[in-house]
Amino acid sequence: MLLIVLFAPSTQDPMPYARSFSTALAATDLVELFTRQFDSCRLKQGEFCALITDTAWNPVYAAAAMGACRALGAETSLTTFAASAPVPAKALSAVCARADLIVYMTAFTLHYRPEIKAALNAGARVLCVMQPIHVLQRLNAEAEVRRRALAGAARLDRAKIIRITSRAGTDLTLNKEGRRGLATYGAADHPGHLDFWGGGMVQAALREGTTHGRLVLDVGDVCFMLARFVESPVAITFKEGRVCAIEGGLDARLLRHAIEAAGEPSAYMAGHMAWGVDPRAKWLAPILDTPDQGGGGADNEAFLGSVQVEIGSNDDVLFGGQNRSNLHMGLCLLGADLALDGTPIIENGRIMAPDLA
């Protein structure tokens, strides 16, 4: 007697472990998803899409991406770099030189690289695809998220002073004068634009040396670099843009260790700020994540009304800041207030500005 057991979880299955995308066959289910996303990036027939991956990344991503390029009639190539060695500048430059759209799916970031910056300056679009596949499925490009992000970025672009407060005790003043307000909405849809699939936020680099005050992480806030929800309050004091004290219990100790482990003074500097604009994002995603490969954090960053303060680097090709660091630690607050030049934007985690809500 032959017994055949079929594992075919529904996409509506609420169980967090009921899916896997680890075999080449999974690409057949993902080509349509990647095609829709690349269409949102305005990839069209006759354009050249350069796909980049590495030896440590799930090959399903590249297979689905190549199928999507073919479905849209675009020319494409796939370049695989070694995950255990630095990406050679000459090779990366050659890959990016003539691309209309660059899609990278790697275990390392490329948006700090001068070759990517040169491609953007030449008019290329760049899409970073590094989230787990089930996050890509849920946080795909959506017109209303794009609208909110662009409207928020326009507001932030005009602002100079950002003030973040909270009932937990946060009272932090940040200065972004001279730095762009940036919209992230998951689609690299115009020349010179870099975006992150799964992203839904408004953000800006901070002027180095200007952040001051107190940032209090309350119970349930997130440090997604550590894949950790805060279990007891942590008070972080900034003076002249630099972390000068971290007080609290275990969570404070872990944060101090992470900053110290970077081994450089620049790791103590405030880097950038952001707020989330995507109502589809799940605050509990770090708990619900499966073993699917991908970098986490998109849900907490994009969660509607969340406020983020990042410590560390802000010198990538988007932010244009001057602080270079091995640390990039995003701290996301749930239930904070945010004001731009004195105008309330978020109150207790709820977006108040009518054009952004």
Side-chain angles (χ1 to χ4, degrees):
M1 180 178 179
L2 177 64
L3 175 64
I4 300 176
V5 181
L6 300 178
F7 293 92
S10 165
T11 57
Q12 302 301 313
D13 194 326
M15 300 305 290
Y17 50 76
R19 52 189 170 261
S20 176
F21 299 96
S22 58
T23 71
L25 291 174
T28 61
D29 287 331
L30 298 174
V31 169
E32 183 179 356
L33 173 69
F34 276 67
T35 300
R36 289 198 305 270
Q37 197 74 13
F38 290 2
D39 185 55
S40 296
C41 294
R42 300 181 182 177
L43 181 63
K44 58 183 182 293
Q45 186 171 356
E47 285 194 314
F48 172 48
C49 179
L51 304 175
I52 300 173
T53 190
D54 65 50
T55 52
W57 199 253
N58 187 343
V60 169
Y61 287 66
M66 184 161 285
C69 290
R70 296 190 63 183
L72 292 169
E75 299 177 10
T76 187
S77 68
L78 174 63
T79 302
T80 303
F81 290 109
S84 58
V87 175
K90 185 181 294 186
L92 182 58
S93 180
V95 170
C96 298
R98 298 187 179 277
D100 298 292
L101 176 65
I102 300 165
V103 178
Y104 72 89
M105 306 153 280
T106 56
F108 44 76
T109 59
L110 290 179
H111 53 280
Y112 288 83
R113 295 290 300 246
E115 298 83 6
I116 294 293
K117 184 175 183 178
L120 290 167
N121 290 341
R125 293 108 63 199
V126 179
L127 182 67
C128 170
V129 186
M130 299 173 74
Q131 294 295 322
I133 288 173
H134 65 274
V135 175
L136 302 182
Q137 291 175 317
R138 178 164 39 81
L139 301 184
N140 55 341
E142 200 269 333
E144 183 60 18
V145 172
R146 181 181 187 274
R147 183 197 68 78
R148 286 194 190 100
L150 288 170
R155 284 263 197 138
L156 184 57
D157 195 64
R158 296 190 297 268
K160 295 181 180 179
I161 303 299
I162 304 151
R163 187 179 179 198
I164 301 172
T165 57
S166 75
R167 287 141 192 83
T170 294
D171 193 348
L172 194 66
T173 302
L174 314 98
N175 186 322
K176 61 150 288 289
E177 186 176 3
R179 302 286 166 81
R180 293 187 302 150
L182 301 169
T184 301
Y185 46 85
D189 57 359
H190 60 268
H193 181 58
L194 183 150
D195 217 309
F196 301 86
W197 188 346
M201 64 193 122
V202 178
Q203 51 188 344
L206 304 170
R207 288 185 62 83
E208 294 75 18
T210 64
T211 298
H212 66 272
R214 186 176 173 92
L215 174 68
V216 178
L217 302 176
D218 203 359
V219 176
D221 290 340
V222 170
C223 174
F224 59 80
M225 172 185 166
L226 301 179
R228 182 173 177 84
F229 287 88
V230 172
E231 296 183 8
S232 60
V234 176
I236 305 173
T237 303
F238 290 84
K239 185 176 180 180
E240 296 181 349
R242 178 182 172 85
V243 173
C244 58
I246 303 177
E247 302 168 282
L250 172 61
D251 296 288
R253 183 174 181 178
L254 293 174
L255 293 179
R256 286 196 300 267
H257 180 79
I259 296 175
E260 292 168 1
E264 55 193 3
S266 58
Y268 290 83
M269 300 299 292
H272 79 268
M273 55 72 60
W275 76 78
V277 299
D278 194 336
R280 302 170 300 173
K282 295 181 177 181
W283 190 254
L284 297 181
I287 294 176
L288 301 175
D289 270 349
T290 73
D292 294 342
Q293 186 173 21
D299 278 277
N300 300 125
E301 290 186 293
F303 190 85
L304 185 64
S306 68
V307 174
Q308 179 183 173
V309 176
E310 178 268 338
I311 299 171
S313 65
N314 67 358
D315 66 327
D316 70 9
V317 300
L318 277 180
F319 287 122
Q322 298 177 359
N323 192 53
R324 177 161 296 182
S325 174
N326 294 317
L327 185 79
H328 192 84
M329 184 164 66
L331 305 172
C332 294
L333 285 65
L334 190 63
D337 305 337
L338 183 146
L340 300 178
D341 292 336
T343 300
I345 300 297
I346 299 172
E347 291 185 359
N348 197 22
R350 180 180 178 186
I351 295 181
M352 305 303 294
D355 57 321
L356 307 182

Short mmCIF file of all heavy atoms in Angstrom, two decimals, residues 191-235:
data_model
loop_
_atom_site.label_atom_id
_atom_site.label_comp_id
_atom_site.label_asym_id
_atom_site.label_seq_id
_atom_site.Cartn_x
_atom_site.Cartn_y
_atom_site.Cartn_z
N PRO A 191 14.63 56.96 -12.59
CA PRO A 191 16.09 56.99 -12.70
C PRO A 191 16.74 57.57 -11.45
O PRO A 191 16.29 58.58 -10.89
CB PRO A 191 16.33 57.90 -13.92
CG PRO A 191 15.09 57.74 -14.74
CD PRO A 191 13.97 57.61 -13.75
N GLY A 192 17.80 56.91 -11.01
CA GLY A 192 18.55 57.38 -9.86
C GLY A 192 17.96 57.01 -8.52
O GLY A 192 18.45 57.47 -7.49
N HIS A 193 16.92 56.16 -8.51
CA HIS A 193 16.24 55.81 -7.25
C HIS A 193 16.63 54.42 -6.81
O HIS A 193 16.60 53.46 -7.59
CB HIS A 193 14.73 55.89 -7.43
CG HIS A 193 13.95 55.58 -6.18
ND1 HIS A 193 14.11 56.29 -5.01
CD2 HIS A 193 13.02 54.63 -5.91
CE1 HIS A 193 13.30 55.80 -4.09
NE2 HIS A 193 12.63 54.79 -4.60
N LEU A 194 17.01 54.28 -5.54
CA LEU A 194 17.29 52.99 -4.91
C LEU A 194 16.22 52.73 -3.87
O LEU A 194 15.87 53.61 -3.10
CB LEU A 194 18.68 53.00 -4.27
CG LEU A 194 19.17 51.69 -3.63
CD1 LEU A 194 20.70 51.60 -3.71
CD2 LEU A 194 18.74 51.56 -2.16
N ASP A 195 15.70 51.50 -3.86
CA ASP A 195 14.65 51.18 -2.90
C ASP A 195 14.84 49.76 -2.39
O ASP A 195 15.65 48.99 -2.92
CB ASP A 195 13.27 51.35 -3.52
CG ASP A 195 12.25 51.90 -2.53
OD1 ASP A 195 12.14 51.35 -1.41
OD2 ASP A 195 11.56 52.89 -2.87
N PHE A 196 14.05 49.42 -1.35
CA PHE A 196 14.16 48.13 -0.68
C PHE A 196 12.80 47.44 -0.71
O PHE A 196 11.83 47.97 -0.15
CB PHE A 196 14.61 48.32 0.78
CG PHE A 196 15.92 49.03 0.92
CD1 PHE A 196 15.98 50.42 0.93
CD2 PHE A 196 17.10 48.31 1.03
CE1 PHE A 196 17.19 51.08 1.05
CE2 PHE A 196 18.32 48.96 1.16
CZ PHE A 196 18.36 50.35 1.17
N TRP A 197 12.73 46.28 -1.34
CA TRP A 197 11.48 45.53 -1.37
C TRP A 197 11.10 45.16 0.06
O TRP A 197 11.86 44.52 0.77
CB TRP A 197 11.67 44.28 -2.23
CG TRP A 197 10.41 43.51 -2.50
CD1 TRP A 197 9.20 43.61 -1.90
CD2 TRP A 197 10.26 42.48 -3.49
NE1 TRP A 197 8.30 42.74 -2.43
CE2 TRP A 197 8.92 42.01 -3.40
CE3 TRP A 197 11.12 41.89 -4.41
CZ2 TRP A 197 8.44 40.99 -4.22
CZ3 TRP A 197 10.64 40.88 -5.22
CH2 TRP A 197 9.31 40.44 -5.13
N GLY A 198 9.92 45.58 0.47
CA GLY A 198 9.47 45.40 1.85
C GLY A 198 9.51 46.70 2.63
O GLY A 198 8.91 46.80 3.70
N GLY A 199 10.21 47.69 2.10
CA GLY A 199 10.32 48.97 2.80
C GLY A 199 9.06 49.80 2.65
O GLY A 199 8.43 49.80 1.59
N GLY A 200 8.70 50.50 3.69
CA GLY A 200 7.59 51.43 3.66
C GLY A 200 7.81 52.47 4.74
O GLY A 200 7.24 52.39 5.83
N MET A 201 8.66 53.45 4.46
CA MET A 201 9.03 54.40 5.50
C MET A 201 9.50 55.72 4.92
O MET A 201 9.79 55.85 3.73
CB MET A 201 10.11 53.81 6.40
CG MET A 201 11.42 53.53 5.71
SD MET A 201 12.51 52.49 6.71
CE MET A 201 12.76 51.11 5.61
N VAL A 202 9.55 56.71 5.79
CA VAL A 202 10.09 58.03 5.51
C VAL A 202 11.33 58.17 6.38
O VAL A 202 11.28 57.88 7.58
CB VAL A 202 9.06 59.12 5.86
CG1 VAL A 202 9.63 60.50 5.61
CG2 VAL A 202 7.77 58.91 5.07
N GLN A 203 12.43 58.64 5.82
CA GLN A 203 13.67 58.63 6.59
C GLN A 203 14.62 59.73 6.15
O GLN A 203 14.48 60.29 5.06
CB GLN A 203 14.35 57.27 6.50
CG GLN A 203 14.54 56.75 5.10
CD GLN A 203 15.06 55.31 5.08
OE1 GLN A 203 15.55 54.79 6.08
NE2 GLN A 203 14.97 54.65 3.95
N ALA A 204 15.59 60.02 7.00
CA ALA A 204 16.61 61.02 6.69
C ALA A 204 17.82 60.80 7.56
O ALA A 204 17.70 60.39 8.73
CB ALA A 204 16.07 62.44 6.90
N ALA A 205 18.99 61.10 7.01
CA ALA A 205 20.22 61.12 7.81
C ALA A 205 20.19 62.34 8.71
O ALA A 205 19.63 63.39 8.37
CB ALA A 205 21.44 61.15 6.90
N LEU A 206 20.82 62.21 9.86
CA LEU A 206 20.90 63.31 10.82
C LEU A 206 22.23 64.04 10.66
O LEU A 206 23.24 63.45 10.26
CB LEU A 206 20.77 62.77 12.24
CG LEU A 206 19.50 61.96 12.49
CD1 LEU A 206 19.56 61.27 13.85
CD2 LEU A 206 18.26 62.85 12.39
N ARG A 207 22.21 65.31 10.97
CA ARG A 207 23.47 66.05 10.98
C ARG A 207 24.32 65.56 12.15
O ARG A 207 23.86 65.53 13.30
CB ARG A 207 23.22 67.55 11.09
CG ARG A 207 22.66 68.17 9.82
CD ARG A 207 22.56 69.68 9.96
NE ARG A 207 23.86 70.29 10.17
CZ ARG A 207 24.73 70.60 9.20
NH1 ARG A 207 24.42 70.33 7.94
NH2 ARG A 207 25.88 71.17 9.48
N GLU A 208 25.51 65.17 11.83
CA GLU A 208 26.39 64.61 12.85
C GLU A 208 26.64 65.63 13.97
O GLU A 208 26.86 66.81 13.71
CB GLU A 208 27.72 64.18 12.23
CG GLU A 208 27.62 63.03 11.25
CD GLU A 208 27.04 63.40 9.89
OE1 GLU A 208 27.03 64.61 9.57
OE2 GLU A 208 26.60 62.49 9.15
N GLY A 209 26.58 65.15 15.20
CA GLY A 209 26.89 65.99 16.34
C GLY A 209 25.75 66.83 16.87
O GLY A 209 25.96 67.66 17.77
N THR A 210 24.53 66.64 16.36
CA THR A 210 23.43 67.53 16.76
C THR A 210 22.35 66.85 17.61
O THR A 210 21.52 67.54 18.21
CB THR A 210 22.74 68.13 15.51
OG1 THR A 210 22.15 67.08 14.73
CG2 THR A 210 23.74 68.89 14.65
N THR A 211 22.30 65.53 17.64
CA THR A 211 21.24 64.84 18.39
C THR A 211 21.51 64.96 19.89
O THR A 211 22.62 64.70 20.35
CB THR A 211 21.18 63.36 17.99
OG1 THR A 211 20.86 63.27 16.60
CG2 THR A 211 20.11 62.62 18.79
N HIS A 212 20.46 65.37 20.63
CA HIS A 212 20.65 65.44 22.07
C HIS A 212 19.34 65.14 22.79
O HIS A 212 18.26 65.35 22.24
CB HIS A 212 21.20 66.81 22.51
CG HIS A 212 20.25 67.95 22.29
ND1 HIS A 212 20.18 68.65 21.11
CD2 HIS A 212 19.30 68.50 23.10
CE1 HIS A 212 19.26 69.59 21.19
NE2 HIS A 212 18.71 69.52 22.39
N GLY A 213 19.46 64.61 23.98
CA GLY A 213 18.29 64.28 24.77
C GLY A 213 18.30 62.82 25.18
O GLY A 213 19.35 62.17 25.25
N ARG A 214 17.10 62.32 25.42
CA ARG A 214 16.95 60.99 26.01
C ARG A 214 15.99 60.15 25.17
O ARG A 214 14.88 60.58 24.86
CB ARG A 214 16.40 61.17 27.43
CG ARG A 214 16.29 59.94 28.29
CD ARG A 214 15.81 60.40 29.67
NE ARG A 214 15.51 59.31 30.58
CZ ARG A 214 16.37 58.78 31.43
NH1 ARG A 214 17.61 59.23 31.46
NH2 ARG A 214 16.01 57.81 32.25
N LEU A 215 16.43 58.99 24.78
CA LEU A 215 15.61 58.02 24.05
C LEU A 215 15.31 56.85 25.00
O LEU A 215 16.24 56.20 25.48
CB LEU A 215 16.34 57.52 22.80
CG LEU A 215 15.67 56.40 22.01
CD1 LEU A 215 14.40 56.91 21.34
CD2 LEU A 215 16.62 55.83 20.96
N VAL A 216 14.03 56.61 25.26
CA VAL A 216 13.65 55.53 26.16
C VAL A 216 12.94 54.44 25.37
O VAL A 216 11.89 54.68 24.75
CB VAL A 216 12.73 56.03 27.30
CG1 VAL A 216 12.32 54.85 28.19
CG2 VAL A 216 13.44 57.09 28.12
N LEU A 217 13.54 53.27 25.33
CA LEU A 217 12.91 52.10 24.74
C LEU A 217 12.01 51.47 25.79
O LEU A 217 12.46 51.10 26.87
CB LEU A 217 13.96 51.09 24.28
CG LEU A 217 14.99 51.58 23.27
CD1 LEU A 217 16.01 50.49 22.99
CD2 LEU A 217 14.32 52.04 21.99
N ASP A 218 10.72 51.37 25.47
CA ASP A 218 9.76 50.81 26.41
C ASP A 218 9.62 49.32 26.16
O ASP A 218 10.08 48.78 25.14
CB ASP A 218 8.42 51.52 26.26
CG ASP A 218 7.56 51.41 27.51
OD1 ASP A 218 7.99 50.77 28.48
OD2 ASP A 218 6.44 51.97 27.50
N VAL A 219 8.96 48.65 27.07
CA VAL A 219 8.69 47.22 26.92
C VAL A 219 7.93 46.99 25.61
O VAL A 219 6.92 47.64 25.34
CB VAL A 219 7.86 46.68 28.11
CG1 VAL A 219 7.50 45.22 27.90
CG2 VAL A 219 8.64 46.87 29.40
N GLY A 220 8.44 46.10 24.76
CA GLY A 220 7.80 45.80 23.49
C GLY A 220 8.36 46.55 22.31
O GLY A 220 8.01 46.25 21.16
N ASP A 221 9.22 47.56 22.54
CA ASP A 221 9.93 48.20 21.44
C ASP A 221 10.97 47.21 20.90
O ASP A 221 11.23 46.18 21.51
CB ASP A 221 10.58 49.50 21.89
CG ASP A 221 9.56 50.60 22.17
OD1 ASP A 221 8.42 50.49 21.67
OD2 ASP A 221 9.88 51.56 22.91
N VAL A 222 11.59 47.56 19.76
CA VAL A 222 12.38 46.56 19.03
C VAL A 222 13.77 47.08 18.68
O VAL A 222 13.92 48.22 18.23
CB VAL A 222 11.65 46.15 17.73
CG1 VAL A 222 12.56 45.30 16.84
CG2 VAL A 222 10.38 45.37 18.05
N CYS A 223 14.77 46.24 18.90
CA CYS A 223 16.07 46.39 18.27
C CYS A 223 16.19 45.25 17.27
O CYS A 223 16.51 44.12 17.66
CB CYS A 223 17.20 46.34 19.29
SG CYS A 223 18.84 46.36 18.52
N PHE A 224 15.89 45.51 15.99
CA PHE A 224 15.82 44.39 15.06
C PHE A 224 17.20 43.87 14.66
O PHE A 224 17.32 42.76 14.16
CB PHE A 224 14.97 44.72 13.83
CG PHE A 224 15.43 45.88 13.00
CD1 PHE A 224 16.46 45.76 12.10
CD2 PHE A 224 14.79 47.11 13.11
CE1 PHE A 224 16.87 46.84 11.33
CE2 PHE A 224 15.18 48.19 12.34
CZ PHE A 224 16.23 48.06 11.46
N MET A 225 18.24 44.66 14.91
CA MET A 225 19.59 44.13 14.68
C MET A 225 19.86 42.93 15.58
O MET A 225 20.55 41.98 15.19
CB MET A 225 20.62 45.24 14.96
CG MET A 225 22.06 44.77 14.95
SD MET A 225 23.19 46.08 15.42
CE MET A 225 24.68 45.12 15.73
N LEU A 226 19.28 42.97 16.79
CA LEU A 226 19.43 41.87 17.73
C LEU A 226 18.24 40.93 17.68
O LEU A 226 18.18 39.98 18.49
CB LEU A 226 19.60 42.42 19.16
CG LEU A 226 20.78 43.36 19.39
CD1 LEU A 226 20.80 43.84 20.83
CD2 LEU A 226 22.10 42.69 19.03
N ALA A 227 17.29 41.18 16.78
CA ALA A 227 16.06 40.38 16.68
C ALA A 227 15.41 40.24 18.05
O ALA A 227 15.02 39.16 18.48
CB ALA A 227 16.35 39.00 16.07
N ARG A 228 15.27 41.39 18.72
CA ARG A 228 14.85 41.34 20.12
C ARG A 228 13.83 42.42 20.46
O ARG A 228 14.00 43.59 20.10
CB ARG A 228 16.08 41.51 21.02
CG ARG A 228 15.79 41.42 22.50
CD ARG A 228 17.05 41.43 23.32
NE ARG A 228 16.78 41.41 24.75
CZ ARG A 228 16.55 40.32 25.46
NH1 ARG A 228 16.58 39.14 24.86
NH2 ARG A 228 16.31 40.39 26.75
N PHE A 229 12.76 42.01 21.14
CA PHE A 229 11.83 42.95 21.75
C PHE A 229 12.36 43.32 23.14
O PHE A 229 12.82 42.45 23.89
CB PHE A 229 10.44 42.33 21.89
CG PHE A 229 9.71 42.20 20.58
CD1 PHE A 229 9.86 41.07 19.79
CD2 PHE A 229 8.88 43.22 20.12
CE1 PHE A 229 9.20 40.94 18.59
CE2 PHE A 229 8.22 43.11 18.92
CZ PHE A 229 8.37 41.97 18.14
N VAL A 230 12.28 44.59 23.46
CA VAL A 230 12.77 45.06 24.75
C VAL A 230 11.88 44.54 25.87
O VAL A 230 10.65 44.64 25.80
CB VAL A 230 12.81 46.61 24.77
CG1 VAL A 230 13.14 47.14 26.16
CG2 VAL A 230 13.84 47.11 23.75
N GLU A 231 12.48 43.96 26.90
CA GLU A 231 11.73 43.37 28.00
C GLU A 231 11.64 44.26 29.23
O GLU A 231 10.79 44.06 30.10
CB GLU A 231 12.36 42.03 28.39
CG GLU A 231 12.28 40.99 27.27
CD GLU A 231 12.82 39.64 27.68
OE1 GLU A 231 13.13 39.47 28.88
OE2 GLU A 231 12.95 38.76 26.82
N SER A 232 12.52 45.25 29.32
CA SER A 232 12.45 46.23 30.40
C SER A 232 13.00 47.55 29.85
O SER A 232 13.84 47.54 28.94
CB SER A 232 13.26 45.77 31.61
OG SER A 232 14.62 45.58 31.27
N PRO A 233 12.52 48.69 30.37
CA PRO A 233 12.90 49.98 29.79
C PRO A 233 14.41 50.20 29.72
O PRO A 233 15.16 49.80 30.63
CB PRO A 233 12.22 50.99 30.72
CG PRO A 233 11.04 50.25 31.27
CD PRO A 233 11.52 48.84 31.45
N VAL A 234 14.83 50.86 28.63
CA VAL A 234 16.23 51.22 28.42
C VAL A 234 16.28 52.72 28.13
O VAL A 234 15.58 53.20 27.24
CB VAL A 234 16.85 50.45 27.24
CG1 VAL A 234 18.28 50.91 26.99
CG2 VAL A 234 16.81 48.95 27.49
N ALA A 235 17.09 53.45 28.86
CA ALA A 235 17.26 54.88 28.65
C ALA A 235 18.62 55.14 28.00
O ALA A 235 19.66 54.79 28.56
CB ALA A 235 17.15 55.63 29.97
#
